[in-house]
Structure formats: structure tokens, C-alpha cells
């Protein structure tokens, strides 16, 4: 006798619920997606006890017709696709017809909906998948779904729920992402009666970012724009001052759907390349539009993952668009920032922008003057534990990340307002004999100069700075009419040298010099094989290596402008890097080689600078294409506006 049995609908729904409904936040996500698909212009989300007790989503969309009510809660019942062909051009967020039956299988659901403006609708109550009541009811056009006691009939699942705080973190994340994806919809979110979010629904993405991440973050973002025969991009990306310790602050939206896309994230990070410190991620909201046929959303039940059919082109397009948005944007962090506001409660969020800057702490030492260990830049979110995440998963998600300190003046080059910044330890050690860096300072002019037209922008952006002096042999003090500036001399020189060497490495190799004493590099067999395959990349930047026996290489010659005395160390570091990275293209290798040379050639901390050399350094810095961070992404300049100085000394009180 056969033993296979067709499962009844109820069990099938419970199984599907296991995939679709992982936690309260998944309920929120599915219900909000349905509201968006229904064309709502206002969506209200309410949760109690992290959503475990109640999730309620109210919308003003087109509603569900009375005769469709029961159907909506049946498996594979959807109004969004009609045929298999539709699967390849999906324009709605839902299409699987699984969410409502799955949710109804594991909770107590009450759905009230009206499809017209007659003031009359239908209410349907379902418990654990069984309809317990249906009645006509007074209702405005739209849908109102209450989901109570999630997992009441699946105790095993309930056991996996974390603390209310954790679940709430995920609920917030779900709503925040939808709000970021749909600035044209007015969202509200309340938890246990407390308001956590309110967006205006006027289409202004920056106001949504302000409501979620705070006004300072919103101000530090620049607009993305770009068109391509297949794609269009818009959105906001943060200047490198708004960084986070993980990638959750990057929101990628494709055709109105929030998705997780490693490919897009990679191209975004590539565009920031030397502007971000290691292991820091930018705050960014990237909106992409493309023909639905270029996109497969039917990869995973939660529809968070997608496949792009022309991924390489798309990555290239995104990287260029972000690069354009970031290029030559001024961002000098203020030294007078307050780092004490990171516990600001969500309900204090305001949609209105306060006037730029000037709300920093009065009195006390400016943070930037304190010696402290470098722990990332500007890391206003470090140490933030407001979310109280046990599993850390939702930490740094929108809103649970650090509330940035109050108003940064942006984008004025004087850098008014605030913005946490920290000072690197000035213990780089070794003293480099003056002639080395002086020569380097004088030489690059011709090469480092950017095209004339961007030179003009540059003058508008980077402030002209006048030397005042030097402290601790490490920081340059400079001023202009708008304020006081501290410059990390090593970081500044590293940036200058980086751009100098980057340009040199990009030229066709010429005038290479044989090493007096050829240097031999040896590697374990596996690594030697990698290196062997990369010899052409070395040649492209003018470094000639020759195989020498099984696993050894001889460095024959290097470009004549490589810092003297450092040839061996540099080539060794380049080789080690390429072996460790394995998959390196010429562009990245050129960048890395330039970083290594810049580091070797730059003046270190603890070196006295003459007034002339210092002033020249400032001018060269101002001539850089990107004078705000060193090639490792650390800040070069910190500012104190006149106003901030006056405030510190209580010459002004507000
Ligand atoms: P899907 O969204 O994949 O179609 P769901 O189970 O989420 O499947 O919803 C089933 C159907 O119920 C939808 O296709 C839609 O017609 C209807 N529906 C659900 N929520 C709403 C809503 N908020 N407003 C209007 N119609 C809705
Ligand atoms: Mg749906």
C-alpha cells in the first residue's frame, strides 16, 4: 500500500509559514508590501511587545472586494499575476499569494477591508487558519489587518523569539527600509503606543533619511543620479564622514523593492575606495529602476534576494554614478562636535531641518583635542548600545545605529556644525630626513594637477588655509577668515603623495632603473604560482620581475621615481599583497602600489616643519583631487569655525 499522502491546506500553510513568517518583522514586511501594492499613500504600522502580541497595518489603498476576502487568505491566491509569463516581468512586491494564508495559519488575524468609498466593508476573523467570523462592517476605503499572538499554535517557533527589544529592532528595520524605498508614501510606526517614525510622504528621500538616521546624517548625504539605456539610478549616498561599522546602513532598492545585493554593495564600496577606512561602510540609499525583465525576484520566498541578468554592466553603472556623486564633495569634520547625543530617543526625531550647525556642546574640551586611540572614523555609532541587541544582528540597522551628533554644517567648506572626529595617535615614529619629503613636495606639481575645469571646482570647495604653526611635530595649525583648522601633516602628505604616485603608475612605463643589487623574493609554491600569473600587472606599472628557479623571483628594475632605499621593501609588499588578494586587476594594483609608495614617502609625525614647507604642504593639499581623507580613509583636516570658537569661550551663548 502506498504511503504518500497529499497534505491538507492547513498543514501546507503552516509549512509555508515556516518560510515566509520567521518573526514579527516578517509579518510587518508582508503586510506593508501588500499595502504598497494596493497603491496606498499612507501606511500606519502599530506593534505591541516587539510585534509578538500585535502587529497592525492600516492602509488607504484600493482595498479587497467583499467577494475576494476569503480568497485572499487561500494559498496561491493572488491578484498580481495571471500567467507564468507574468513571472518574468513582475512589477508588484508580492506575487506568490502566500503571505496572508501563512500568517493566518500561525496567528489570530482580523482583516477589515473596503474596496469602495461607500463606507461599508467586510471584516474577516481567522484563527490558526480557520475562519471564525465574517461580517459587514463600517470601513473607510483601504485595509486594516491585525495580527495577534503570533505563533500561538506553534510553540516551537515561539521559543526562538528573542527579547522584545530584538524583535522590535527587526520590526523597525522592516518599516524603515520600506519608508526609504517609498518616500512618496507617508509611513508611521508606533510601538506600545510610542511613535517611532513619521515620514511626510512627499517624495523627498532626504526627509525620510532625516527621520530615520537624524538630520546630521541627512545633511551629509549627496544625491545620486544617472541614466543608462537599461537602468536609472537615484538616491542619496553619505560623504565618508557618515560611516558605520557594518553594511546594514546601505539600503538597496530595485524597482521599489528593498533587496540585499552583494553585487551592488561591492560596486558602492568600490566607488568609495580610498575614502573609507577599513571595515567601515557608508550610509547610503540606492534606488535603481530597470525593466522588470532584467531582474529575477523569484529566488527566495522572502523575495529579499534578486538576480540581475546584466550584472557586470549594472555594477559598472552603479560604481560610476556613486563615484560622480562623491567626487570633490567637501567634508571637513568639525572638531567642536558633541559625541554625547548618541542615545537620543527615536521619538525625538524631527523631520524639519534645523538651521545648519552650531548645536555642539558648550564648554569642555573639544573632543578632537583629546588624545585617544584611533577606533574608526568618525564612529559616532561606536559604543552605541541603545538597541540592546542580544544577537547584534539588527545593530546598526537603520535607526538602531548611532544617532549622529547634532547638526553638521554641510556642505559649507568651513565645516561649521558638528561631526565627531578623532585624532590619530601621532606616534608614527621614525624621522625621515628632510630632503626626501621636501623633494617630493616640490616635484609633484605638474603631475598631480587635475584637469583645469575641476581645478576651479576645487577652489570653491577646499578652503584656502594659512599656516599658523605646528603642534607636537604632528599637526599643522592653520586658519582663514572662517575659522581654525588642524591638519594631520602625515595624512595630508600621504594624500598628496598618493595622487602623485597614482598618476605616475598610470603612465606608460619609462625610464626604469636597474637595481644595483638585484633583490630576490621567495614564496611558497602556491603563492609563487599566483605571482607568476601576475607578472604582467607588475610590468604594466614598470616593475620587472624575473622568475629565478622554482619559487623565487628577481626584481630586475623599478621605475626611477620609486622612493629611494625603499625599492626592495615596496616590491615585496606589493607582491605579498597581490598573493594575499589573488584576484587583482590593474586598477586596484595601481591604487595599492600608489598607497604603499605614498606611505613610505610621506613625512611622518614628529617631524618639524618650517613655515615655508608647511604652507607649501597646505597648498599642495588644496590642489589634490580629494583633499579630505588620506588614502586609508582617515581624516586630514578638522575645523573649528569662528562661531564654535566663540561658543567654547562663551562669547556667544546660543
Ligand atoms: P500576494 O501579495 O503575493 O498576492 P498575499 O497573500 O500577500 O499574496 O495577498 C493575497 C491577495 O490579497 C493579494 O494578491 C491582494 O489581492 C489581496 N490583498 C492583500 N493585502 C491587501 C491590501 N492591503 N490591500 C488590498 N489588497 C490586498
Ligand atoms: Mg503579499
Amino acid at each position: 500500500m502506498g504511503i504518500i499522502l497529499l497534505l491538507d491546506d492547513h498543514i501546507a500553510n503552516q509549512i509555508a509559514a515556516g518560510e515566509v513568517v520567521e518573526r514579527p518583522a516578517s509579518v510587518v514586511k508582508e503586510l506593508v508590501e501588500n499595502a504598497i501594492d494596493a497603491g496606498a499613500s499612507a501606511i500606519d504600522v502599530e506593534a505591541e511587545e516587539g510585534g509578538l502580541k500585535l502587529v497592525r497595518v492600516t492602509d488607504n489603498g484600493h482595498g479587497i472586494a467583499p467577494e475576494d476576502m476569503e480568497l485572499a487568505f487561500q494559498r496561491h491566491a493572488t491578484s498580481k499575476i495571471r500567467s507564468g509569463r507574468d513571472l518574468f516581468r513582475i512589477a508588484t512586491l508580492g506575487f506568490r499569494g502566500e503571505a496572508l494564508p501563512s500568517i493566518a495559519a500561525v496567528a489570530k488575524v482580523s482583516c477589515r477591508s473596503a474596496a469602495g468609498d461607500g463606507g461599508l466593508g467586510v471584516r474577516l476573523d481567522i484563527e490558526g487558519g480557520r475562519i471564525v467570523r465574517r461580517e459587514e462592517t463600517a470601513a473607510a476605503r483601504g485595509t486594516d489587518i491585525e495580527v495577534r499572538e503570533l505563533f500561538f499554535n506553534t510553540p516551537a517557533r515561539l521559543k526562538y523569539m528573542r527579547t522584545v527589544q530584538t524583535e522590535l529592532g527587526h520590526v523597525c528595520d522592516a518599516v524603515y527600509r520600506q519608508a526609504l524605498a517609498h518616500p512618496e508614501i507617508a509611513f508611521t510606526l508606533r510601538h506600545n503606543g510610542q511613535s517611532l517614525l513619521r515620514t511626510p510622504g512627499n517624495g523627498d528621500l532626504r526627509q525620510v533619511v532625516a527621520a530615520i538616521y537624524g538630520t546630521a546624517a541627512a545633511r551629509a548625504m549627496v544625491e545620486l543620479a544617472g541614466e543608462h539605456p537599461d537602468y536609472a539610478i537615484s538616491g542619496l549616498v553619505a560623504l565618508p564622514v557618515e560611516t558605520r561599522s557594518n553594511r546594514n546602513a546601505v539600503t538597496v532598492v530595485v524597482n521599489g523593492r528593498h533587496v540585499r545585493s552583494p553585487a551592488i554593495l561591492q560596486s558602492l564600496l568600490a566607488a568609495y575606495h580610498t575614502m573609507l577606512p577599513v571595515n567601515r561602510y557608508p550610509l547610503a540609499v540606492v534606488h535603481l529602476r530597470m525593466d522588470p525583465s532584467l531582474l529575477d525576484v523569484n529566488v527566495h520566498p522572502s523575495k529579499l534576494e534578486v538576480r540581475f541578468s546584466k550584472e557586470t554592466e549594472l555594477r559598472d553603472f552603479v560604481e560610476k554614478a556613486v563615484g560622480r556623486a562623491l567626487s570633490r564633495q567637501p567634508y571637513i569634520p568639525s572638531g567642536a562636535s558633541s559625541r554625547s547625543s548618541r542615545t537620543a530617543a527615536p521619538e525625538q526625531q524631527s523631520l524639519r531641518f534645523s538651521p545648519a550647525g552650531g548645536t555642539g556642546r558648550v564648554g569642555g574640551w573639544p573632543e578632537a583635542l583629546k588624545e585617544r586611540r584611533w577606533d574608526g572614523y568618525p564612529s559616532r555609532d561606536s559604543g552605541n548600545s541603545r538597541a540592546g541587541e542580544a544577537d547584534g544582528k539588527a545593530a546598526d540597522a537603520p535607526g538602531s545605529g548611532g544617532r549622529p551628533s547634532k547638526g553638521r554644517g554641510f556642505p559649507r567648506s568651513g565645516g561649521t556644525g558638528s561631526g565627531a572626529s578623532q585624532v590619530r595617535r601621532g606616534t608614527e615614529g621614525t624621522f625621515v630626513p628632510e630632503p626626501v619629503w621636501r623633494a617630493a613636495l616640490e616635484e609633484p606639481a605638474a603631475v598631480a594637477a587635475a584637469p583645469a575645469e575641476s581645478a576651479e571646482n576645487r577652489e570653491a570647495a577646499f578652503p584656502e588655509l594659512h599656516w599658523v604653526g605646528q603642534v607636537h611635530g604632528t599637526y599643522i595649525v592653520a586658519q582663514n577668515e572662517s575659522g581654525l583648522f588642524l591638519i594631520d601633516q602625515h595624512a595630508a602628505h600621504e594624500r598628496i603623495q598618493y595622487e602623485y604616485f597614482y598618476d605616475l603608475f598610470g603612465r606608460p612605463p619609462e625610464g626604469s632603473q636597474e637595481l644595483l643589487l638585484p633583490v630576490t623574493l621567495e614564496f611558497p609554491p602556491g603563492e609563487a604560482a599566483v605571482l607568476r600569473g601576475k607578472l604582467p600587472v607588475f610590468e604594466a606599472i614598470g616593475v620587472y620581475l624575473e622568475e629565478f628557479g622554482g619559487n623565487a623571483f628577481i626584481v630586475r628594475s623599478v621605475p626611477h621615481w620609486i622612493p629611494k632605499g625603499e625599492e626592495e621593501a615596496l616590491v615585496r609588499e606589493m607582491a605579498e599583497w597581490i598573493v594575499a588578494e589573488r584576484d587583482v586587476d590593474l586598477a586596484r594594483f595601481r591604487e595599492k602600489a600608489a598607497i604603499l609608495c605614498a606611505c613610505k614617502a610621506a613625512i611622518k609625525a614628529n617631524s618639524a616643519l618650517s613655515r615655508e614647507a608647511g604652507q607649501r604642504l597646505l597648498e599642495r593639499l588644496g590642489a589634490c583631487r580629494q583633499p579630505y581623507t588620506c588614502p586609508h580613509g582617515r581624516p586630514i583636516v578638522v575645523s573649528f569655525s569662528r562661531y564654535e570658537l566663540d561658543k567654547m569661550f562663551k562669547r556667544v551663548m546660543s
Side-chain angles (χ1 to χ4, degrees), residues 205-223 236-239 242 244 283 350-351 353 380 404 408 410:
L205 179 61
R206 201 182 288 270
Q207 290 189 34
V208 180
V209 169
I212 293 169
Y213 296 100
T215 51
R219 256 194 232 109
M221 294 182 91
V222 292
E223 257 164 60
L236 293 169
V237 288
L239 298 173
E242 275 296 330
R244 297 288 190 275
L283 172 59
S350 152
L351 278 176
F353 286 107
R380 352 184 133 159
R408 172 203 322 286
F410 168 77

Side-chain angles (χ1 to χ4, degrees), residues 96 188 284 475 555:
R96 300 169 61 108
T188 65
Y475 304 107
V555 185

Side-chain angles (χ1 to χ4, degrees), residues 30-31 33-38 59 61-64 68 71-74 77-80 93-101 113 142-145 303:
E30 293 295 337
L31 297 183
E33 286 190 352
N34 281 347
I36 295 170
D37 281 345
D59 69 60
H62 59 54
I64 305 174
D68 278 347
L71 212 51
F73 285 88
Q74 274 179 36
T78 178
S79 57
K80 298 170 193 175
L93 298 173
F95 58 87
R96 300 169 61 108
E98 276 183 332
L100 291 188
S113 192
T143 305
D144 176 354
I145 301 193
K303 298 158 288 180

Side-chain angles (χ1 to χ4, degrees), residues 307-546:
R307 267 191 223 111
F308 301 107
S309 52
K310 298 188 191 170
E311 189 174 297
T312 321
E313 276 178 88
L314 178 62
R315 288 174 68 141
D316 191 52
F317 170 68
V318 172
E319 183 178 337
K320 292 215 170 84
V322 176
R324 264 198 318 275
L326 291 174
S327 65
R328 298 299 313 170
Q329 289 289 342
Y331 47 94
I332 297 179
S334 157
S337 64
S338 154
R339 293 173 50 84
S340 58
S341 60
R342 51 169 95 101
T343 49
E347 58 273 23
Q348 290 173 339
Q349 293 164 9
S350 152
L351 278 176
R352 271 170 295 118
F353 286 107
S354 50
T359 45
R361 194 178 48 185
V362 177
W365 283 102
E367 289 288 335
L369 289 183
K370 289 184 185 158
E371 268 288 308
R372 71 169 70 200
R373 268 186 68 85
W374 178 259
D375 62 349
Y377 166 71
S379 75
R380 352 184 133 159
D381 46 353
S382 72
N384 167 56
S385 56
R386 184 177 59 80
E389 284 293 291
D391 56 2
K393 235 172 125 192
D396 245 2
S400 69
R403 304 279 309 147
S405 45
K406 300 163 215 163
R408 172 203 322 286
F410 168 77
R412 256 181 288 145
S413 56
T416 54
S418 69
S421 58
Q422 298 177 355
V423 175
R424 268 189 318 141
R425 279 171 304 162
T427 52
E428 237 99 52
T430 50
F431 180 82
V432 176
E434 188 165 300
V436 173
W437 55 262
R438 176 178 291 165
L441 274 181
E442 280 158 5
E443 197 180 352
V447 222
E453 136 278 316
S454 72
E456 278 164 29
N457 301 341
R458 174 188 318 139
E459 256 136 54
F462 195 75
E464 197 179 316
L465 299 177
H466 308 288
W467 166 273
V468 175
Q470 189 199 32
V471 283
H472 297 171
T474 301
Y475 304 107
I476 296 172
V477 183
Q479 67 170 338
N480 65 18
E481 50 306 325
S482 68
L484 166 77
F485 298 80
L486 293 178
I487 294 101
D488 180 325
Q489 70 192 35
H490 174 70
H493 198 211
E494 222 178 341
R495 167 53 69 179
I496 295 166
Q497 294 288 33
Y498 166 73
E499 294 196 0
Y500 167 64
F501 284 114
Y502 184 80
D503 288 337
L504 285 175
F505 277 123
R507 293 175 164 189
E510 33 104 339
S512 65
Q513 87 182 354
E514 300 249 332
L515 293 182
L516 287 179
L517 290 173
V519 172
T520 314
L521 307 176
E522 257 196 80
F523 291 89
E527 300 186 357
V530 177
L531 198 55
R532 204 169 295 129
K534 289 294 177 186
L535 295 184
V537 191
F538 276 90
E539 275 173 33
I541 64 162
V543 175
Y544 293 90
L545 297 182
E546 219 170 76

